Amino acid sequence: MNKFIRIAAAGMMSLTFGAVAQADVTVKVAYDADPVSLDPHEQLSGGTLQFSHMSFDPLVRWTQDLQFEPRLAESWEQIDATTTRFHLRSGVKFHSGNVMTATDVDWTFDRLKESPDFKGIFSLFTDVKVIDDHTFDLITSEPYPLVLHTVTYIFPMDSKFYSGTTDDGKDRSELVKHGDSFASRNVSGTGPFVVSEREQGVKMVFDRFDGYWDTETAGNVDQIILTPIKESPTRVAALLSGDVDFIAPVPPTDLARVDENDSTDLITMPGTRIITFQMNQERVEALKDVRVRQAIDYAVNNAGIVDRIMRGFGTVGAQASPAGYLGHNPELAPRFDVEKAKALMAEAGYADGFEITMMAPNNRYVNDDKIAQAVASMLAKINIKVDLQTMPKAQYWPAFDERAADMMMIGWHSDTEDSANFHQFLSHCADAETGNGQYNSGNFCNAEADMLMAKANAETDSGKRAEMLQQMETILYNEAAFIPLHWQNLAWGARKGVHADKIVNALNFPYFGDLVVD
């Protein structure tokens, strides 16, 4: 029987569920940062989704070879061109003890549609129709080829737990970005781990949920202790000394150390997260001129950044879509020509340059602060003076949402493993109602590119979709909509006997519920 644990310490979560009396197999994990919130809909970020896969479960999830695997939905079929019917597993319980039904999926869907960050993903989804406790129809406004891709982002929430009011009269379902809410401090999911302790920026403790539905998993970890260690050398040293069992990311400078150490394993994968800088056209008049944006692109030595800062552990980019995505256009080459950049600045009337502000995180992407410093130095060569500020991601994302600087760094992994998603969030004309352009801090807007994305999203023929998406990428390239730097490769380190190679994936969402430790 579950019991409530109240934690009084300041900054710690206020309510959780105790699920196990004593941990037998404990794994100590060190990430560069911890989740900013316990609300799975507050922020569309890697940290949020990593957490979601620990304390919640999706309807469907990706496998290592990027196929679809049934989770809370055990099967599905297409009813008509715009309706997909899903069948839920029976007997699945939330951490609270409540039984999951299709009503919880419906409630979660409605909340996703209201989330500023997530509603863009679900813009073509119109309704969840509950058939019975274990059956529901997911309906789109038009034929959509990415239904299952999108369903990987539906992690059913406990509608009974999150309904009603708190002791101080606040709505328990309230969604607050970068604020304090019931959902940001409390969690009841169906996932393999219950959050039993949380102190923001210090430590999170996850205990195995004794009522977890997946009894067939080989996972044998009873407790995970997550400690954020921002500094890469300290994080690597903790793994090599045996103080922690699993770390992410492993910085390029330490790949060989982890790989060659007799007590640790290095796991690497090619990445599809594009690292970019956006240029805010509403804050700086000069950035409205395509020649200036192109000049900035020409001034940045992408290959040099990958070679010297990333130590080759990345792929130089010229567009958002990586090779293998339908929208990837192999004809688009990285720009780097300082003299060409200077000529474009002069042609635009800015030979003497101008001053801008720049912000970047210092614990979100691999070597993010060093990359920002390098880009700022490169822009000085075309007389653009940069006032650079870097900060931890807990402070960076509120600043990003405020569009608080003229150039801002953002990395993006396509939520749907499809090219359209990059444009939808990073460079689409901003629309608060639909959620399109939610992370477009540059305020770039091109109606033709938006139209091509919309047409591609309604096209089920992959050849025609590819043609539209590649045309879209070409427009963004010619307009220098943003500065694409590189696709960031992935690296994890684990103590030998911790079989992390079986649970990691290209999305960088380790499935800790399936982790086996010798």
Side-chain angles (χ1 to χ4, degrees), residues 149-362:
H149 303 64
T150 309
V151 166
T152 64
Y153 285 82
I154 299 181
F155 294 81
M157 296 177 70
D158 185 346
S159 60
K160 293 179 181 178
F161 178 79
Y162 291 101
S163 295
T165 56
T166 62
D167 292 342
D168 56 357
K170 292 184 178 179
D171 184 356
R172 289 163 70 111
S173 69
E174 182 183 26
L175 200 163
V176 181
K177 284 211 73 174
H178 315 304
D180 181 49
S181 68
F182 179 83
S184 72
R185 293 179 283 103
N186 301 278
V187 57
S188 175
T190 63
F193 293 100
V194 172
V195 180
S196 56
E197 182 180 337
R198 177 181 184 241
E199 188 172 0
Q200 181 71 47
V202 179
K203 182 174 71 170
M204 289 184 72
V205 178
F206 297 83
D207 284 323
R208 193 82 179 191
F209 177 35
D210 59 5
Y212 189 46
W213 63 268
D214 190 358
T215 57
E216 295 183 4
T217 177
N220 66 342
V221 175
D222 298 298
Q223 185 181 75
I224 293 176
I225 300 174
L226 169 62
T227 303
I229 303 178
K230 171 182 170 295
E231 299 297 334
S232 296
T234 307
R235 193 166 59 251
V236 172
L239 176 67
L240 297 180
S241 67
D243 288 341
V244 299
D245 306 302
F246 178 88
I247 67 170
V250 179
T253 50
D254 288 308
L255 294 173
R257 289 181 65 201
V258 174
D259 192 30
E260 295 168 3
N261 188 282
D262 291 339
S263 62
T264 58
D265 291 319
L266 176 72
I267 308 114
T268 63
M269 285 186 185
T272 57
R273 180 183 301 279
I274 185 72
I275 306 299
T276 75
F277 267 105
Q278 298 176 335
M279 301 163 284
N280 195 320
Q281 299 180 39
E282 292 188 3
R283 289 176 58 99
V284 180
E285 184 68 25
L287 296 178
K288 294 179 180 178
D289 193 319
V290 64
R291 294 168 296 184
V292 173
R293 299 196 302 273
Q294 289 177 347
I296 292 174
D297 202 9
Y298 274 110
V300 176
N301 185 356
N302 300 9
I305 290 172
V306 169
D307 181 49
R308 292 190 288 274
I309 297 178
M310 298 299 292
R311 303 292 182 94
F313 199 62
T315 304
V316 178
Q319 58 193 299
S321 298
Y325 276 43
L326 286 180
H328 180 77
N329 185 344
E331 296 181 2
L332 303 181
R335 297 181 174 112
F336 176 57
D337 185 333
V338 176
E339 294 307 313
K340 175 69 171 177
K342 290 178 179 178
L344 284 166
M345 289 287 283
E347 182 183 328
Y350 294 100
D352 295 332
F354 48 85
E355 297 182 4
I356 62 170
T357 57
M358 176 186 288
M359 283 185 179
N362 57 22

Side-chain angles (χ1 to χ4, degrees), residues 420 423 428 446-459 464-476:
H423 177 63
H428 195 287
N446 184 283
E448 186 178 1
D450 293 355
M451 178 197 67
L452 285 165
M453 185 199 81
K455 290 177 66 176
N457 281 343
E459 180 56 66
K464 293 179 181 178
R465 286 196 82 238
E467 184 178 347
M468 295 173 190
L469 292 170
Q470 289 177 29
Q471 187 179 348
M472 179 190 75
E473 286 282 17
T474 302
I475 291 172
L476 300 178

Side-chain angles (χ1 to χ4, degrees), residues 20-31:
V20 289
Q22 181 67 42
D24 297 316
V25 178
T26 297
V27 172
K28 297 179 180 179
V29 174
Y31 279 156

